[in-house]
Amino acid sequence: MDYNSIFSQSLKNISDEGRYRVFMDIERIKGDFPNAIWHNEGEEKNIIVWCSNDYLGMGQHPDVISAMEVALKKVGAGSGGTRNISGTNHYHVLLESELADLHAKEAGLLFTSGYISNEASISTLAKLLPGCIIFSDELNHASMIKGVLGAGCEKKIFKHNDVKHLERLLSEADSEVPKIILFESVYSMDGDFSPIEEFCDLADKYQCLTYMDEVHAVGMYGPRGGGVAEKRGLMDRVDIIEGTLGKAFGLMGGYITGTKNIIDCVRSFASGFIFTTSLSPVITAGALASVRHLKNSNVEREAHQERAATLKQKLHDANLPVMPSDSHIVPVLVGDAVLCKQASDILLNDFGIYVQPINYPTVPRATERLRFTPNPLHTNEMMDHLVEALTHVWQKLDIDRYSSAA
């Protein structure tokens, strides 16, 4: 058996389709975000990052960096173990309390990533509910899908944000069995919002639990950064709110919030939590500072919304195919995987603009795109440079005929 040839062919297949992913070796410059240095084959090049999930630049915030420096000197680098075996640091306890308060819930639980928090929590909760049926939006994140598969229970997939389709599926299900509705508040590839209130109305009507992923909204929306549910006054209607520390809060890690019993069940039964070394207290201290800052400051959120709106308008004025989006996500349609990668390469090599191509399976085929995430530190000059570069690339690659067809 020639194992190596099998692996080589698999890699060739995705490369031929334009889906082979190349890691960018970049070095963020402290205090000068979104500027960075690109390390490429022994050479260095100054670039501007346009695809970071550090939406508000909090990974560079002085309060966050200072808190991490203090924690490093106070407790050292690592956590020392799993949460159950010496790995619960006081910073973990403080942050979980802060996150529970952020979402107006009884308790919170930290994970090493948002992916793990979804996978572990969804699979665990569904397994604990006898005969549970999961109702999941068709565009839910891979981590949520993984959690559904791990649960091993019956699942129903409803059309994206389609309240009527969801109700039809709920009405057909056994009224006596437990049910969970899974959805996100902001879908990161299209930048659209979910109908949270309508989903909660259905949950009340059909006696379901609601599980909402707010990873692309925490820190970004609401008067204290509690997310879309806080902005709409709906946090009390969502049973489990999941979030991340790796996007607007600028660090890493994931979490869930909910009732004490729900959180305690996940803590007690989820393998993805029990058998994982806990987050470094240094990272936890930084996240704690970030959450506390954004609870009390709207400056970053307001600036960010203005920057996103400005970039959308500039792209629209230049007749570039910016996709409709009510959120801070700014996707520009290409419609072909190979061209999407070529466009990304030209922007990087010729213009010092780094934006990652988004291809299948992250998005459906023929909807390949460049996904821009402007932050409060992107200037008008940077935006004008980006629009000029995109216009050049579109003409050079004749992308319009693909994006129009898509």
Side-chain angles (χ1 to χ4, degrees), residues 18 332-347 355-359 363 367-371 393-394 397 399 402:
V332 177
L333 183 64
V334 175
D336 178 85
V338 174
L339 281 180
C340 200
K341 179 64 168 65
Q342 290 177 352
S344 174
D345 289 344
I346 294 171
L347 288 169
V355 58
Q356 193 70 16
I358 306 296
N359 296 329
V363 295
T367 69
E368 293 84 0
R369 67 201 63 179
L370 300 175
R371 175 183 175 272
V393 171
W394 250 244
L397 298 179
I399 293 178
Y402 289 92

Side-chain angles (χ1 to χ4, degrees), residues 28 58 80 180 182 197 222 294 308 321 344 348:
R28 303 211 308 176
M58 290 302 294
I180 306 175
L182 303 181
E197 184 171 11
L294 290 174
S344 174
L348 182 64

Side-chain angles (χ1 to χ4, degrees), residues 4-21:
N4 194 55
S5 67
I6 297 174
F7 297 136
S8 294
Q9 186 61 47
S10 297
L11 293 171
K12 183 179 183 301
N13 290 343
I14 62 171
S15 181
D16 289 345
E17 294 177 15
R19 296 194 294 117
Y20 182 76
R21 290 174 171 152

